[in-house]
Amino acid sequence: MDTLSVAVLLFALATAALWRALIHLKSRAQRFEESKKAAWVSLQCGSADLPSWIQNEERLSAFLFGAQRLALRKGVPHRKILETLATEHVFGQLIRFAGALEHRKATFAEQQLAVAETVAERFNYEERMRVASKIFFSGCSTDQKERQEI
């Protein structure tokens, strides 16, 4: 075999391997999204359990550190992450969400990622509502001043 034939063969094998890896990653991402949806349903129905690692202080600390780091990467300010995790109801909901994901065979890292995404979604929602309320209520203060003048 000459050099060109070997190069073409290697290119074909590399392309096939990349194509297969891409299919695997898409499938895994789809399963992860489906697991998150099912975990939220379990949580809403009240059937989500705590994760197996919840009483292991070292594992819990590692979980929270990883989730915080991922949320920071998603643009959530550290102060907002701490506020979210300090809210007892939200903290319990996030931990039960991780437990529901664990029940669906999600890895520890996937549980951290899902919790971080949830924190980021919550932050983004609050920011959108804050901006929308500023816009909405900015017109109200002008109306009130005009009414007072009349």
Side-chain angles (χ1 to χ4, degrees), residues 24-144:
H24 173 72
L25 289 174
K26 282 184 179 181
S27 171
R28 187 171 176 152
Q30 184 177 2
R31 281 194 311 270
F32 181 54
E33 289 302 316
E34 289 169 358
S35 291
K36 287 193 310 186
K37 288 177 185 174
W40 274 119
V41 169
S42 294
L43 192 64
Q44 299 303 318
C45 294
S47 61
D49 293 326
L50 293 171
S52 62
W53 44 261
I54 193 66
Q55 293 187 8
N56 181 332
E57 190 173 323
E58 188 176 310
R59 197 76 166 144
L60 175 61
S61 180
F63 178 82
L64 293 173
F65 179 77
Q68 287 178 49
R69 193 179 74 242
L70 290 166
L72 282 169
R73 286 185 187 167
K74 293 186 173 297
V76 182
H78 193 247
R79 177 179 52 84
K80 290 294 188 179
I81 296 168
L82 294 178
E83 285 175 11
T84 300
L85 294 176
T87 307
E88 186 176 347
H89 170 73
V90 177
F91 180 79
Q93 191 177 40
L94 292 172
I95 293 298
R96 288 189 187 285
F97 179 49
L101 285 167
E102 182 183 58
H103 179 72
R104 285 166 180 73
K105 308 293 186 232
T107 66
F108 188 72
E110 289 172 332
Q111 294 168 42
Q112 288 175 311
L113 177 59
V115 166
E117 288 173 347
T118 304
V119 170
E121 288 168 5
R122 180 184 174 90
F123 170 73
N124 291 332
Y125 174 78
E126 288 173 356
E127 284 299 299
R128 285 193 313 272
M129 292 300 104
R130 186 183 59 76
V131 169
S133 68
K134 270 187 174 179
I135 293 168
F136 179 77
F137 289 116
S138 68
C140 293
S141 62
T142 305
D143 290 343
Q144 289 176 350

